Amino acid sequence: MSDTAAQLQPHPVRNSVFLRACRNESVPHTPVWFMRQAGRSLPEYRRVREGIPMLESCMKPELVKEITLQPVRRHKVDAAILFSDIVVPLKAIGLDVDIKPGIGPVIANPIRTKEDLRQLRTLEPDDVPYISQAVTMLVEELGATPLIGFAGAPFTVASYLIEGGPSRTYERTKAMMFGEPELWSHLLERLADITATFLRIQIEAGASAIQVFDSWAGTLAPRDYRQSVMPASQTIFRSVAQYDVPRIHFGVGSGELLGPMGEAGADVVGVDWRVPLDEAARRVPPHTALQGNLDPALLFAPTHVLHQEADGVLNAAHAAGDRGHIFNLGHGVPPTVDPDVLTRLVAHVHETSTRSAT
Ligand code: 1CP
């Protein structure tokens, strides 16, 4: 085959069902992947992670490759997501951060003053060689299955940095946002820069979509999100726009923010289980694809109920009109779920959406 003919062949990843749906193109069936699809629900994950602390495992490319591939092999999902964490870039620039089992990220010296900001230098590709290595190996191994790269959005990462760990109320975070707007915007600008670099590294190594997790932005009123958070998130989406890879933007409890989260520059908006997808479609900008949004708690319900509710998600996506839909949960896979339930759910969504497409 000549070089030109090779170029004319449809690129298998570019033409994958997942990427087609992200671009609002027609698909033979609805693509499926699950947030937190790699992790403790899988016995093979628990086996390979044994004795290796979470952040250390994110820095071992061979292990990252294996863990990322596990749910693809087992569940036949339509996309892989890089095994990493939103605090990996912070660790890489020298912050004293740890992921404590059963708790989550814990920051030894929280960022609360102008002086504390000095801890946040810029991220360089050399700080995370294991990320490009893992992505390169994965892209090779995954063949036609796309790899999603990801990062935490400035608000969500800032909440860990300011609170020092997970929070339910975000009191110190909001106190800084409302009370010290200048310090707040400097913090968010630095985080936007780090996040954008982290995403670019993944894209340049071969990730074919990215997801920005603003998991905890749902705690904000739309006015405050627009004024104090959206500009930094916008910077990130703008800084990866030239790559032509779909950009997914997700938050929990973000029903009131779906409009601005789409406007921030997303091609796909991830929706949690609280807003039906046809309603979400009315809230996001035109041409934005939707991802979601089965309640993860349904994974513990009887199969016929789970599958009926999954059909409800597919119907709502159909009612959302002429836009792409990627089936996902409304948030991450709970660690205690029976993985066979997920495997059967993927098959069910594939089968049902194939039938309803004909
Ligand atoms: O030892 C373990 O298994 C620790 C559990 C764990 C895992 C498997 C943590 C700690 N992080 C991860 C991996 C991870 N983190 C992925 C893997 C890729 C996949 O989806 O398969 C992803 C996408 C993340 C991103 C992440 N980390 C987010 C955004 C997604 C979300 O769930 O909203 C957030 C908020 C974090 C912080 C974090 N890291 C770990 C935990 C338990 C938490 C949440 C803590 C809290 O409740 O605040």
Side-chain angles (χ1 to χ4, degrees):
M1 198 188 301
S2 73
D3 282 356
T4 329
Q7 278 159 15
L8 289 175
Q9 294 292 311
H11 190 287
V13 176
R14 199 177 152 73
N15 212 31
S16 64
V17 177
F18 169 75
L19 288 178
R20 289 184 64 88
C22 290
R23 297 191 301 260
N24 297 315
E25 294 169 10
S26 65
V27 284
H29 60 79
T30 302
V32 187
W33 72 278
F34 301 119
M35 291 183 275
R36 297 283 184 97
Q37 62 191 14
R40 278 175 301 164
S41 67
L42 302 182
E44 58 270 36
Y45 170 82
R46 297 196 293 269
R47 223 164 19 242
V48 296
R49 273 286 319 282
E50 219 170 302
I52 310 174
M54 174 63 193
L55 278 176
E56 214 176 287
S57 51
C58 295
M59 296 173 191
K60 295 177 180 291
E62 278 292 343
L63 189 58
V64 168
K65 183 183 93 172
E66 168 57 23
I67 294 176
T68 303
L69 291 172
Q70 285 176 348
V72 179
R73 282 190 207 118
R74 186 190 262 262
H75 302 311
K76 309 279 180 279
V77 281
D78 296 276
I81 179 159
L82 182 70
F83 179 75
S84 187
D85 194 82
I86 60 170
V87 296
V88 164
L90 302 178
K91 178 84 178 170
I93 58 168
L95 255 79
D96 189 345
V97 51
D98 194 13
I99 295 185
K100 298 231 180 341
I103 301 175
V106 175
I107 314 286
N109 306 302
I111 294 192
R112 293 175 185 163
T113 65
K114 198 167 164 223
E115 289 66 48
D116 294 334
L117 275 187
R118 286 200 210 109
Q119 292 186 66
L120 292 178
R121 66 162 173 84
T122 54
L123 179 74
E124 305 296 335
D126 284 350
D127 296 319
V128 284
Y130 43 86
I131 294 286
S132 1
Q133 285 160 16
V135 170
T136 307
M137 287 194 287
L138 273 162
V139 168
E140 168 92 33
E141 191 93 10
L142 279 162
T145 305
L147 176 69
I148 305 169
F150 77 92
F155 176 80
T156 291
V157 176
S159 78
Y160 289 103
L161 284 175
I162 299 167
E163 306 286 341
S167 171
R168 281 212 198 114
T169 52
Y170 310 98
E171 282 163 5
R172 287 176 186 273
T173 309
K174 290 188 185 185
M176 189 195 289
M177 186 181 95
F178 290 118
E180 295 178 89
E182 209 171 308
L183 175 59
W184 172 259
S185 64
H186 282 139
L187 171 59
L188 261 67
E189 276 163 27
R190 286 201 190 197
L191 291 175
D193 184 69
I194 292 167
T195 300
T197 305
F198 193 55
L199 291 172
R200 280 198 301 267
I201 290 167
Q202 296 174 67
I203 297 169
E204 287 185 3
S208 48
I210 55 103
Q211 175 153 325
V212 175
F213 283 94
D214 210 348
S215 301
W216 315 135
T219 187
L220 297 171
R223 181 203 65 173
D224 303 323
Y225 176 83
R226 276 188 188 278
Q227 188 175 313
S228 307
V229 172
M230 193 171 151
S233 294
Q234 236 161 358
T235 300
I236 296 168
F237 286 104
R238 219 180 290 127
S239 86
V240 294
Q242 80 269 23
Y243 291 103
D244 192 30
V245 303
R247 298 159 297 171
I248 312 170
H249 200 181
F250 168 78
V252 183
S254 58
E256 300 301 324
L257 303 180
L258 292 173
M261 285 181 77
E263 286 169 47
D267 305 296
V268 182
V269 168
V271 184
D272 88 352
W273 61 93
R274 293 170 178 88
V275 179
L277 291 178
D278 48 338
E279 172 57 27
R282 286 188 277 276
R283 299 185 186 187
V284 296
H287 314 299
T288 310
L290 294 172
Q291 176 174 280
N293 71 342
L294 190 76
D295 187 339
L298 280 161
L299 297 170
F300 300 98
T303 307
H304 73 277
V305 176
L306 169 65
H307 288 188
Q308 196 179 309
E309 293 296 320
D311 295 349
V313 169
L314 292 171
N315 289 338
H318 190 67
D322 211 11
R323 53 176 96 219
H325 173 223
I326 299 108
F327 189 97
N328 206 314
L329 302 175
H331 197 191
V333 171
T336 50
V337 83
D338 172 358
D340 291 344
V341 169
L342 291 171
T343 309
R344 286 195 297 265
L345 180 59
V346 175
H348 177 80
V349 171
H350 282 167
E351 211 183 285
T352 309
S353 58
T354 305
R355 235 184 283 129
S356 58
T358 52

